Structures are given as structure tokens and as C-alpha cells.
Amino acid sequence: MTDLFIHILVPIAIFTFIAGFTLFAVYAERKIAGFVQDRLGPMETGKYGLIQTLADILKLLQKEFITPSSADRILFALAPIVIFTAVFIGFSVIPWAPDFMPADTNTGLFFIMAIVSIDAIGILMAGWGSNNKYSLLGAVRAIAQMVSYEIPVGLSLIAAVMITQTLNLNEIGHLQGINSPESIYFMGFWDVTDIGGIFAWHIFQAPHLLIVYIIFFIASLAECNRAPFDIPEAESELIGGFHTEYGGIKFAFLFLAEYAMMFLVSILGVVIFLGGWNSPLPNIGSIRLADWTTGLGWGLFWTITKSLTIVGIQMWIRWTLPRFRADQLMTLCWKILIPASFICLLISGLWRIIVML
């Protein structure tokens, strides 16, 4: 009975977090956009416009279900569910704190890469099921972009895994802090196992891993269809992309999935490259900052803080950089990121064999 209760409670908790995060993120994005564009953003609905997003959600929930007369009703109805479910299940193997995660599996990283890929199938279902040429064109371009950028994402994660020698996300987190079961070396020469903090993060365990994370971050923006990689949803070209025909609660699920994906790739990057739940504060002599700021509560704080910081950078980039053309988008992927990922992959192999053994 206890296991059944946990299996019911955990998905509810994850969904509640995603919904709460989306409400916060939409408001934050509007405020960031206002700041970047020298305006105020939401101000009228609630104090400082705090309940504007809640009002928008209530508006969506009250709208009637509209399905185009010539649409494939089954595909049209299932697409938002498939898209959201693919992202939602990805949270099941994410460690939020030391040994604190819904499911501890030895193939957690592989599981996320596999399950999130189903997102592309849902997008194709949405475009095809709408029976709208603009929606179909938006879906095809979105899938071409997502499939292409999955390659540098996968290669960058493999480059990190070659250093850690494990696909277990919980173990990867442990390998970046003072409780690491193995010795940690800053840039391969300075033992920082007892010092911990930012010096123990993976991006500083080898010189090329910072570049690997930058590749991962850029490619993850494209995976989320975030600017400057949002051409599948470019209003000036494709009306609204693959979700042109969606409204009400169906659109809300698509919107929820997009923001959930933003947080998922952010927290995945944090776990793999930025120390996970481990404190950025190092032990300095008798001042044991890392020891004092490590534990379950602190782990949750550091994981969420780091992830929200990355989400904030994603929003900042959206309102700063212009949108890429389709040819520029593919050129960046196939001629720059993928070759750079292969080079980093080679360096990881050589680093593991020559330096770490």
C-alpha cells in the first residue's frame, strides 16, 4: 500500500512542480522581456501583475474544445498528450538532491535521451493531424531542427559520460562534490576532493568540458524551439507553427510542455556539468563551506537555483538575439556543433586514457 501511495504521489508532485514553474516562468519571461525592451511588462492584474499568468490559464481552461472539421480527430487530440507526456516522464530519473529522485536507474541518462525523443513524434502528429498546410510545414521544420540538434546534444553528453564512466545521474552528481567516491582533479592536476565547491564541477575537471557544456546549452535551446532557434514557431512565417489550430486546454498542454522542456534540459545540464546538487562554495582551510552547505535541503536549493539561473539565461537570450534563418540554423548544427562535438568526444577519450588512468 505504501509503494502504491508513493507511485501516485510522486507523479502528482512532479506535475504540480511543472505547473507551478510554468506559472512563474511565464511571468518572469514577460518581466525579463519588458526589462530588455525598456518597458514594464505585466502591471495591472494583481500587484505588479503577479496573477496575470493565472488569469491567462483560467481563460484557456474556459475555452471550448475546437477541432477543425477536416482534421484527423484522433491524432489532433492525442498530440498534446504525447508531447507533454514525453517531457513529463523525463523528470522521473532526475536527481534533485543526494539519493533523492523518483527513480534511481543505472541508465538514467540514456532513458531521458530516449523518452524525450518521442516529443518529435507528437509534434508530427500535431502538424499532420491538424490538416493545415502551415501546421504541417511548421511540424516538419520543427522535427528537422530537433532531429538535427539531438546529435550534438547526444555527443556532448557522451563526451561527459566518457569522463564519468556511468549513465546513472545520481552517481554523476556524487562525482562532483565532497562526497565523491573517487578522487576529483581540477583540470586533471589539482586534487580538490576535500575542497569541493565549484572546483569539483565537471566543467572544470577537464579543459574541454566547458566547451562541451556550451555545445550542449546551444543545442538544447534548439531542442526547446527557443529563440534564436524558434523558426518552427515563427509567427511572421508560419502563423503559429505546428500548434496553429490548437486552443484552450490543448494549447495549454503544448505550452506546459515547452516550459517543462526548458527546465528539464536546464536541470540535466546542471546535473551533468554544473555540480548537480553540490554546493558551489568550497572548503577553505578550517572554513568548511562545502560541508556546511551539503545535504538534502541544501541539495534541493542548489539544484533549483542553478536550474532557474540557466532558465533565466535562456529567457535573456530569447529577447536579445535575432532569429536564425533556416539555412543558418542547419549550418550551425551540421558544420560547427557536430564537428566540434566529435572533437570533444575524441579529447574525452584521450583524457580518460592518458590523464585519468
Side-chain angles (χ1 to χ4, degrees):
M1 181 61 73
T2 303
D3 290 341
L4 178 61
F5 179 73
I6 292 175
H7 290 327
I8 295 174
L9 184 62
V10 169
I12 292 175
I14 294 175
F15 181 82
T16 303
F17 174 82
I18 293 174
F21 164 75
T22 302
L23 287 173
F24 164 78
V26 173
Y27 174 79
E29 181 145 35
R30 287 170 167 172
K31 283 296 187 180
I32 291 172
F35 174 78
V36 172
Q37 298 172 351
D38 197 21
R39 55 186 177 83
L40 297 176
M43 288 293 292
E44 301 299 326
T45 312
K47 190 174 181 63
Y48 307 115
L50 284 170
I51 61 173
Q52 179 63 58
T53 308
L54 183 60
D56 292 337
I57 293 297
L58 292 175
K59 177 189 69 175
L60 287 174
L61 293 176
Q62 294 178 64
K63 286 187 174 182
E64 63 177 314
F65 291 97
I66 298 176
T67 302
S69 57
S70 57
D72 185 316
R73 292 181 176 274
I74 296 177
L75 290 181
F76 187 81
L78 287 178
I81 299 174
V82 171
I83 293 172
F84 176 75
T85 302
V87 181
F88 176 76
I89 296 177
F91 281 87
S92 63
V93 294
I94 292 292
W96 297 79
D99 304 314
F100 184 77
M101 70 211 76
D104 187 6
T105 171
N106 290 327
T107 56
L109 183 57
F110 177 78
F111 177 82
I112 287 183
M113 294 174 65
I115 199 69
V116 171
S117 299
I118 299 176
D119 189 28
I121 298 176
I123 290 176
L124 182 59
M125 290 170 61
W128 183 269
S130 297
N131 198 22
N132 177 318
K133 62 182 179 181
Y134 295 106
S135 296
L136 180 59
L137 184 57
V140 170
R141 295 175 77 169
I143 292 169
Q145 175 178 312
M146 293 176 68
V147 170
S148 296
Y149 277 87
E150 278 180 1
I151 299 174
V153 166
L155 291 175
S156 60
L157 292 176
I158 293 172
V161 167
M162 291 176 71
I163 300 297
T164 63
Q165 295 289 289
T166 179
L167 291 169
N168 187 308
L169 294 175
N170 188 46
E171 293 179 5
I172 291 175
H174 278 295
L175 290 171
Q176 300 177 79
I178 55 174
N179 295 322
S180 173
E182 300 178 8
S183 297
I184 304 173
Y185 291 91
F186 179 85
M187 293 300 174
F189 64 88
W190 178 27
D191 190 342
V192 294
T193 310
D194 187 57
I195 297 174
I198 192 172
F199 302 108
W201 293 2
H202 275 149
I203 56 171
F204 298 121
Q205 291 187 23
H208 68 291
L209 287 183
L210 180 57
I211 299 174
V212 171
Y213 177 67
I214 293 173
I215 293 172
F216 171 82
F217 178 77
I218 294 172
S220 67
L221 284 178
E223 283 287 289
C224 299
N225 290 332
R226 296 285 298 180
F229 304 98
D230 63 337
I231 199 167
E233 302 171 3
E235 292 150 0
S236 59
E237 298 183 40
L238 301 173
I239 308 178
F242 63 89
H243 52 66
T244 298
E245 300 290 354
Y246 285 92
I249 188 65
K250 294 178 181 177
F251 177 78
F253 265 98
L254 294 173
F255 204 65
L256 202 62
E258 179 175 324
Y259 277 86
M261 186 69 168
M262 284 175 59
F263 191 86
L264 181 61
V265 298
S266 297
I267 195 173
L268 181 61
V270 166
V271 172
I272 300 293
F273 297 98
L274 304 180
W277 62 76
N278 292 290
S279 170
L281 305 176
N283 290 326
I284 305 174
S286 60
I287 305 176
R288 313 295 291 180
L289 297 177
D291 293 345
W292 298 337
T293 55
T294 297
L296 178 60
W298 278 107
L300 289 170
F301 172 78
W302 291 124
T303 300
I304 294 174
T305 300
K306 293 175 187 177
S307 301
L308 291 180
T309 301
I310 301 302
V311 170
I313 294 173
Q314 292 176 342
M315 295 176 180
W316 176 29
I317 289 174
R318 174 178 181 178
W319 300 103
T320 303
L321 299 180
R323 179 180 295 130
F324 284 138
R325 297 195 314 264
D327 62 312
Q328 294 173 329
L329 185 144
M330 288 302 178
T331 297
L332 175 65
C333 177
W334 290 96
K335 293 187 177 181
I336 299 177
L337 295 184
I338 291 179
S341 299
F342 275 115
I343 293 172
C344 290
L345 200 64
L346 175 62
I347 296 173
S348 285
L350 295 175
W351 188 268
R352 184 72 197 184
I353 293 172
I354 298 173
V355 179
M356 298 185 70
L357 291 182

